[in-house]
Structure formats: structure tokens, C-alpha cells
Amino acid sequence: MRDYRRVADAVAADITAGRLRPGDRLPTQRAFARRHGIADSTAGRVYGELTRRGLVVGEVGRGTFVRAASPAAGPALAEPAPARIDLELNYPVVEGQSALLGAGLARLARPDVLAAALRPAGATGTPAARAAVAATLARAGWSPDPAAVLFAGNGRQAIAGALAALVPAGARLGVEAFTYPVVKALAARLGIALVPLACDAHGLRADALLAAHRDAPLSAVYLQPTLHNPLGTTMPDGRRAELAAALRESGLTAVEDAIWSFLHEDAPPPLAAYAPGHVILADSLSKRLAPGLTLGFAVAPPHLADRLTAALRSGAWTTTGFALEAATGWLTDGTAPAVAAAKRADAAERQHVAAEALGGFALHTDPRAYFCWWDLPEPWRADTFVAAAARRGIAVTPAASFAVGPHRAPNAVRVGLASPPPAILRRALTTLAGLARTAPDDVAPE
């Protein structure tokens, strides 16, 4: 049997050499297998490898399309590719942020503080860290118990620990029909089956959760009540109360992703305030401060604390003492609130740029969010638009990356606003707007 990686290398070479261009449709896996004299299962592995390398993108019911050539996929191109503007990753950095964080790190140079920072740190952290996180998360209508706070290396690890604690391998996890792609990857790694749940303009529907649980029992549900990524939805008070009632009726536990919620100061209290015995709240400092030296944390009901602690330990998802000490200082000396306030102002400014550059198109967002959801105009398909944008050096995320289940993903993309400088962001969005106003057949290769 031919090594699927060698076959994938050959296709990658065709992409790099321009024999396959962004937007070209690959044959079906069965046709590809016949053409190359390989088994259908091997063809599936080839397509999976090409997807992993970021060279192709597929959508259920439509096929697989060339996305963009990777510089590492084969020989160097004769002409250098345009500088990549990343509107996929979303890591906000504001002016003065490094100076503020650097000043906060100075205390770690004290021998007594450094000695504590270099000791191992467990999932329970330290009393000072638990108090600092509890005070940071507190808002009108809710104040978590510091004893309920547990720590992970980052927000993704906090979510992974919560899923591992709640959902056995082979069991079902309810998620919003469009969900955080990392949760899709975590579910695949943990052997969890994702069940898409219907949403409306107010977010996840409580009746959809209960119906799915009656159809076949769920083990838990993962959701983003505030500034949902990618749709920007924030659940109103009434919907949170309905979901809390559904959790109590079903006995289910929700994993509440609150990582973007710091941008929305006027949002209702977290779902954990409505159903405290049925929610694990996960958050981190990755977006609030910076991803390089971060801290993840979870607020767990008492009866789930031991399970979550065990999951964090067994997954090696606990934090380091250095990150714990640094974060405790930033949270208590005013650094974290100052950076978060600057990022709220920055997000509002970038939303204004997006509204101007993409005016007239169907955007779904929140003026406080660092991203927007763009329903593309006809006759554009998400996959061909992503490929055409990549040819112009701009990376955006197709709807299929967020979609769960076998249903066809809409012709939409998520546009991240946080990473490039504002002037470059404006230029990229203006380029995308011009691209969207053309027909795909009118887009000349570059």
C-alpha cells in the first residue's frame, strides 16, 4: 500500500507549483483513489493530511477545494508571496501593554517572590491567586467563592479539563450549532461525540437542549453565553434563566466559556450565577492580557471540584508557579483592569473600522467584539472566497471551521479584527470588500 503522505506530498507540490490553484476543486475521494491506484481509505487519509497542512478546505455536500499554498509544501515560489495579514488568529495587543506587564513582572525579581514562583503549582493554586481571580470575575449579581477556583495553563486547558471531567469517551456533548473550533478538536482527541443544538438570535435554545437530551442522553453541554465566537451573540437575562431551568430539569452540567466576556461589561451575570450547581465557568488571561504568559482558570461547583482537579492533573493541564505569581500580581496591582479597559476601547475602534470598510454587506457582530461574522454575497462560496483572499495575502476563517454536524455550512466567514495594526486592518478589510463585489469568475489569478 502506498504511503498516504507521499501522495499528499505530490498534491502539495502541484499546489506549490501552481498546477493546482486556490479555489480549484479536487476530485471526490473515490475518484482520486481510482486515479492514483490507492484504496478509498488511503485517499481519505491523503485529504485529511492536506487539510491538516492547511492546503485544502472541504465542506459537506460541496467538495474539497485548494485553499492556499504553504511555503513549506514544496519548492520555493519564483515570486515572494505577499505579507500575510492574519484575520484568523485573534490576539489583541494594545499600546502600552508591554510596559504595564513588564512593570508588574519586576516584583518577581525579589528573592522571596521568585522562590515561591519557582515551586510547583497545583490545580488549586494559592490562596492569593484564588482570591485575585474571584475578585476579577465578580460582577453585579455574582461573586464566585475563591475556594471554587481551579487553575490551568490557559483557557483551552481549562475547557479541556472540564470536558474530560464531565464527558466519558464515546459519550455525547451538546454544543451550539456553530462552536469554538478548538472544542471540535478537543472532542476528537477525547473521543467525544458532538451534538449540534439549535440557536436563535438570543443564543442556545433551552428547548433544543432538552429535546437532544431526551433523544439520547447528553453528558454535558458547552456554550458561550457572552460574545459568542463567531456570531457575537450575547444571551439576554431571560434566556440564561431558561437554560438554567433546563440544566436543573435535566441534571446536566454546562461548561461556560467566558474568555471573551471581559469585553462586555454590561452583559448579564454568567450562567454560573443562574445555576451555580450545574455550571463550570472557564476563563483565562490570554485575551484579557496576553497569550505568551497566561493563566487559565475554572470555577467549579463543590461536588465537581475533585473530578475537575483530577482531570487537570492527569491531562498535565495545570499551570506553572511563575505564571501563577505573575498573574496574581497583574490582577491585584491594577495592571489587568487597565489593559482590559484599553482592549475594550480598541475593540470598539476596530468594529468602527469594520463597519466602514464592510458597509452594505451582511455582518453579524457586537460593537464590543473583536470579530464579526460575514454572510457572503452571491455567488461567492466560503471556500472559494477564503482561497481568493489567501491569494491576496489575507487569511479569514470559513464557516465550516465552526459548524458542527453533517449540515451544510453557510457561505460565511469569520473575520478576526484583533491581530493586525488598525491601518493594516483597514487595508485588508477594504481589499476583502472589493473582492466580495466581484464575481468569482472575474477574479484573475495573481
Side-chain angles (χ1 to χ4, degrees), residues 244 247-255 271 275-280 301 303-304:
L247 293 174
R248 289 191 292 268
E249 177 182 338
S250 62
L252 290 170
T253 298
V255 178
L271 186 62
H278 292 270
V279 178
I280 294 176
H303 67 283
L304 294 175

Side-chain angles (χ1 to χ4, degrees), residues 244-266:
L247 293 174
R248 289 191 292 268
E249 177 182 338
S250 62
L252 290 170
T253 298
V255 178
E256 178 176 10
D257 185 339
I259 287 171
W260 285 112
S261 62
F262 76 96
L263 293 172
H264 195 336
E265 290 186 293
D266 299 325

Side-chain angles (χ1 to χ4, degrees), residues 175-193:
V175 295
E176 292 139 323
F178 291 95
T179 194
Y180 181 33
V182 167
V183 169
K184 296 170 63 175
L186 287 173
R189 177 73 63 178
L190 296 172
I192 293 171

Side-chain angles (χ1 to χ4, degrees), residues 6 26 154 280 359 427:
R6 292 184 181 179
L26 298 187
N154 55 44
I280 294 176
R427 187 180 78 206

